[in-house]
Amino acid sequence: MCGDMKVLKGIFFFIMGLLMAGCLGILICALNPSLTAMLAERVESLDAAHSGQTGESGGLGGLFEDGEPQPDSGTADRDQPGINSDWLEGRNGYEQPDSDSLETPESVSGRMGYEPVREEALEIDDAEADDLSEAVDPGDTGSDLTFDQEIYPYYAMLEADMQRIYSQIYANAMSLTASFTPVTPVSVSQVKTVFEAVYNDHPELFWLDTGYSCKYLRSGRCAEITLKFNETVNDLEGARQAFQDAAGGIIAQAQSLGSVYDREKYVHDALAQLAEYDVASPMNQSAYSALVGGRSVCAGYARAFQYMMQQLGIPCYYCTGYAGEDHAWNIVKLEGDYYNVDVTWDDTEDSDYGYFNKTDREYAATHRRTGLSVYLPACEGAGTQVQPAPDSGGDETGGGGTEAVGADSPDDLSGLINPNPIKPMEWQSKVKVDPVPSQPTAEERKQENLDKAGITEEQVRSTMQEYYEDCEKLLKGVGKGDRQFTSVIPESLWSSVERAYNNGDYWKGYAEKALREMGAENFVIQLQTERLGGGYYRLYHNVYTY
């Protein structure tokens, strides 16, 4: 009898354990819709394999590889769904430092504020999905868009089908189409990867929020994507103008400088001067907050720096990770080498360019990449960096002077004739020293570039606003018929001009108003580009108006 009671008691506790494990599993799935979708996808794929059929999930791709489930994109740094493994081969080399060893310097403690992409996922049934397909369309698919992988690395990371979703998200964000159906089958986890790629590549989409929502079927296939926009969409035209004006002044000044390094440093310093760290600043994940509002957190600093560098034609990437808290900074490409740049941490009272143009090894103690940023190129450059001048005595020089030194600069300066170049040279010997030729000023370099291009400064349209105003005036001037007019722009502006014609911004920029005043009903334009030298392009606008 006693033995029977022990058996019954054992069975009872076993059943209770199963029930508790089941309840725990249900709770976990309810709190993590991505996991729910992934498990449903797994079950369906196994059923299909057993029956010898592909099933609905067979076209999704990326959820499972070699029969093993992949982790959710929010928890895996090296195995995210939708990533093109062929493209990544040999392109990276970044090694994550041990997160336990990271230390946040006291001088920059708390200067973080990056918010990871937020996903809201809602499971729907087949009937709701059918209703969606009738009520919601794909919107602008972006099928005519192209993205240079040198400037937009997150796009290049994606599989071909995911690049189609990327183009669709970008195009609908540009046209403010909030809800749309995916142009190709995509899973919940893949949508998160692609949305993050779009967001990281395009700081000019300052009205796009860091969150989005997705309605999905039990199989895991996403049926509808809904974007979220911030308050700037209430007057987007005015916000765009304010954004371009704020960035344009810095970009124009940087453009006049001779070297890529000088342009980068100017933008870095100008942004640090313009913006102030403020965790309470509105829309602080956007470049708009730093450039127009003048207050932001690390995300706003990094996206503003990225935008201006892109406009200057300098590859610059938005990099996210961990630095004691969630944090964002930049990776910039100079003369073929990659460097880390953290403008937020350099924007302090005692700034000494401690986080400007540094290698991964130099960042290993403080910064650790996460998410898609682990796929960005490793920063191993050894070129010019800004370092504090030895014994500079900031008060004597008017502000903590700096000097550019190469990677092979001597650590011990005691053997140099003049270890402190800020002080006058003391007489050492009667050895004849050839005078160092003077370096041209920024204005002289600019004039040299203009002369090389065979143009005058008055001919150059340095911002999109100047370009639009010039095109409007010239288009009205040439009149109707088969005509041509030309404009001159700096090379750094070409990516913005090209994008304006790809996404249709040029129409609102100048064409619509000009054609209305001309009384024209139809308009065709073909653009040709000529490299003039000196960093300038001449654009030939071949138009037919009637």
Side-chain angles (χ1 to χ4, degrees), residues 450 455-463 466 488-490 536:
L450 290 169
I455 56 177
T456 64
E457 186 174 359
E458 290 72 23
Q459 294 175 273
V460 180
R461 304 296 173 254
S462 299
T463 67
E466 291 179 2
V488 176
I489 63 170
Y536 295 98

Side-chain angles (χ1 to χ4, degrees), residues 5 20 75 77 95 127 156 158 165 260 311 341 343 370 384 387 424 440 445 460 510 520 530 538:
M5 289 297 295
M20 291 180 65
T75 60
D77 288 332
E95 296 295 333
L158 303 175
I165 300 294
V260 171
Q311 298 306 300
V341 178
V343 185
T370 59
T384 302
Q387 302 285 356
R445 285 195 296 265
V460 180
Y510 74 89
E530 176 189 11
R538 176 174 282 115

Side-chain angles (χ1 to χ4, degrees), residues 232-251:
T232 58
V233 297
N234 297 328
D235 179 20
L236 187 54
E237 186 174 349
R240 276 175 165 168
Q241 188 61 60
F243 183 75
Q244 291 174 358
D245 289 346
I250 297 175
I251 293 169

Side-chain angles (χ1 to χ4, degrees), residues 270-323:
L271 179 58
Q273 180 69 29
L274 172 66
E276 177 182 352
Y277 184 86
D278 183 0
V279 71
S281 57
M283 299 178 292
N284 59 27
Q285 300 300 295
S286 70
Y288 188 92
S289 63
L291 289 171
V292 180
R295 294 179 296 137
S296 193
V297 297
C298 60
Y301 275 88
R303 291 174 69 77
F305 185 73
Q306 176 191 18
Y307 174 76
M308 290 188 285
M309 295 295 281
Q310 285 179 344
Q311 298 306 300
L312 288 166
I314 302 172
C316 182
Y317 312 141
Y318 184 61
C319 184
T320 60
Y322 185 77

Side-chain angles (χ1 to χ4, degrees), residues 262-518:
D262 288 340
R263 297 175 188 179
E264 179 212 14
K265 183 175 179 296
Y266 180 87
V267 171
H268 171 279
D269 295 351
L271 179 58
Q273 180 69 29
L274 172 66
E276 177 182 352
Y277 184 86
D278 183 0
V279 71
S281 57
M283 299 178 292
N284 59 27
Q285 300 300 295
S286 70
Y288 188 92
S289 63
L291 289 171
V292 180
R295 294 179 296 137
S296 193
V297 297
C298 60
Y301 275 88
R303 291 174 69 77
F305 185 73
Q306 176 191 18
Y307 174 76
M308 290 188 285
M309 295 295 281
Q310 285 179 344
Q311 298 306 300
L312 288 166
I314 302 172
C316 182
Y317 312 141
Y318 184 61
C319 184
T320 60
Y322 185 77
E325 300 175 31
D326 289 330
H327 190 48
W329 63 97
N330 296 103
I331 290 175
V332 62
K333 184 178 183 181
L334 302 176
E335 305 297 337
D337 290 324
Y338 295 95
Y339 301 91
N340 291 290
V341 178
D342 193 335
V343 185
T344 312
W345 282 17
D346 275 340
D347 187 17
T348 59
E349 292 183 1
D350 56 349
S351 172
D352 59 357
Y353 297 90
Y355 303 95
F356 181 70
N357 288 3
K358 300 297 182 179
T359 64
D360 288 333
R361 179 178 55 80
E362 292 171 304
Y363 262 36
T366 55
H367 295 67
R368 178 181 185 270
R369 301 187 207 174
T370 59
L372 296 184
S373 295
V374 301
Y375 301 117
L376 293 174
C379 296
E380 301 172 340
T384 302
Q385 302 180 32
V386 171
Q387 302 285 356
D391 300 325
S392 58
D395 294 339
E396 297 178 11
T397 63
T402 61
E403 60 173 314
V405 298
D408 56 353
S409 297
D411 295 328
D412 182 9
L413 302 177
S414 59
L416 299 180
I417 294 177
N418 184 30
N420 187 351
I422 293 176
K423 295 180 180 179
M425 184 76 150
E426 296 179 1
W427 180 258
Q428 298 292 330
S429 68
K430 294 184 180 181
V431 177
K432 182 179 179 180
V433 179
D434 294 330
V436 178
S438 60
Q439 297 296 317
T441 65
E443 193 61 34
E444 289 171 337
R445 285 195 296 265
K446 181 178 180 180
Q447 187 57 52
E448 182 180 342
N449 290 334
L450 290 169
D451 292 341
K452 186 183 298 184
I455 56 177
T456 64
E457 186 174 359
E458 290 72 23
Q459 294 175 273
V460 180
R461 304 296 173 254
S462 299
T463 67
M464 286 301 294
Q465 182 63 28
E466 291 179 2
Y467 171 73
Y468 284 151
E469 291 174 354
D470 191 46
C471 286
E472 180 183 343
K473 176 182 176 182
L474 293 172
L475 179 56
K476 290 189 291 187
V478 297
K480 296 181 181 180
D482 191 357
R483 301 287 188 268
Q484 183 188 81
F485 62 88
T486 65
S487 297
V488 176
I489 63 170
E491 287 186 17
S492 61
L493 195 62
W494 168 243
S495 61
S496 295
V497 172
E498 185 179 33
R499 187 159 52 245
Y501 283 96
N502 280 334
N503 61 32
D505 279 355
Y506 79 96
W507 183 257
K508 289 289 186 182
Y510 74 89
E512 183 179 39
K513 182 179 178 182
L515 295 171
R516 184 171 59 248
E517 294 183 13
M518 294 166 63

Side-chain angles (χ1 to χ4, degrees), residues 87-396:
W87 183 88
L88 291 173
E89 189 69 29
R91 300 272 310 197
N92 186 262
Y94 172 71
E95 296 295 333
Q96 288 178 309
D98 183 358
S99 59
D100 295 335
S101 65
L102 296 184
E103 296 182 2
T104 304
E106 184 177 349
S107 61
V108 295
S109 179
R111 298 179 72 85
M112 319 289 182
Y114 159 68
E115 296 177 4
V117 168
R118 303 185 307 277
E119 171 199 42
E120 295 179 8
L122 175 66
E123 182 177 343
I124 61 175
D125 57 31
D126 292 341
E128 290 177 280
D130 291 339
D131 291 341
L132 274 178
S133 64
E134 295 179 3
V136 183
D137 59 38
D140 189 341
T141 64
S143 58
D144 59 338
L145 298 177
T146 58
F147 298 95
D148 182 352
Q149 71 178 33
E150 179 89 315
I151 303 297
Y152 306 110
Y154 290 100
Y155 171 81
M157 294 176 188
L158 303 175
E159 297 170 342
D161 280 352
M162 297 305 100
Q163 289 179 346
R164 293 180 63 193
I165 300 294
Y166 176 109
S167 297
Q168 184 185 22
I169 291 176
Y170 176 83
N172 282 314
M174 290 295 295
S175 64
L176 301 185
T177 302
S179 297
F180 49 91
T181 55
V183 72
T184 190
V186 59
S187 71
V188 177
S189 296
Q190 287 171 327
V191 170
K192 188 173 183 180
T193 297
V194 178
F195 180 88
E196 185 177 342
V198 174
Y199 191 84
N200 288 1
D201 270 340
H202 297 281
E204 74 276 13
L205 297 176
F206 58 78
W207 57 91
L208 182 63
D209 203 354
T210 54
Y212 71 95
S213 63
C214 172
K215 294 181 179 179
Y216 67 96
L217 297 170
R218 186 174 181 274
S219 66
R221 179 171 63 85
C222 181
E224 180 189 50
I225 300 171
T226 298
L227 306 179
K228 298 182 180 181
F229 306 121
N230 61 37
E231 63 191 54
T232 58
V233 297
N234 297 328
D235 179 20
L236 187 54
E237 186 174 349
R240 276 175 165 168
Q241 188 61 60
F243 183 75
Q244 291 174 358
D245 289 346
I250 297 175
I251 293 169
Q253 289 296 321
Q255 181 63 47
S256 67
L257 302 178
S259 70
V260 171
Y261 167 81
D262 288 340
R263 297 175 188 179
E264 179 212 14
K265 183 175 179 296
Y266 180 87
V267 171
H268 171 279
D269 295 351
L271 179 58
Q273 180 69 29
L274 172 66
E276 177 182 352
Y277 184 86
D278 183 0
V279 71
S281 57
M283 299 178 292
N284 59 27
Q285 300 300 295
S286 70
Y288 188 92
S289 63
L291 289 171
V292 180
R295 294 179 296 137
S296 193
V297 297
C298 60
Y301 275 88
R303 291 174 69 77
F305 185 73
Q306 176 191 18
Y307 174 76
M308 290 188 285
M309 295 295 281
Q310 285 179 344
Q311 298 306 300
L312 288 166
I314 302 172
C316 182
Y317 312 141
Y318 184 61
C319 184
T320 60
Y322 185 77
E325 300 175 31
D326 289 330
H327 190 48
W329 63 97
N330 296 103
I331 290 175
V332 62
K333 184 178 183 181
L334 302 176
E335 305 297 337
D337 290 324
Y338 295 95
Y339 301 91
N340 291 290
V341 178
D342 193 335
V343 185
T344 312
W345 282 17
D346 275 340
D347 187 17
T348 59
E349 292 183 1
D350 56 349
S351 172
D352 59 357
Y353 297 90
Y355 303 95
F356 181 70
N357 288 3
K358 300 297 182 179
T359 64
D360 288 333
R361 179 178 55 80
E362 292 171 304
Y363 262 36
T366 55
H367 295 67
R368 178 181 185 270
R369 301 187 207 174
T370 59
L372 296 184
S373 295
V374 301
Y375 301 117
L376 293 174
C379 296
E380 301 172 340
T384 302
Q385 302 180 32
V386 171
Q387 302 285 356
D391 300 325
S392 58
D395 294 339
E396 297 178 11

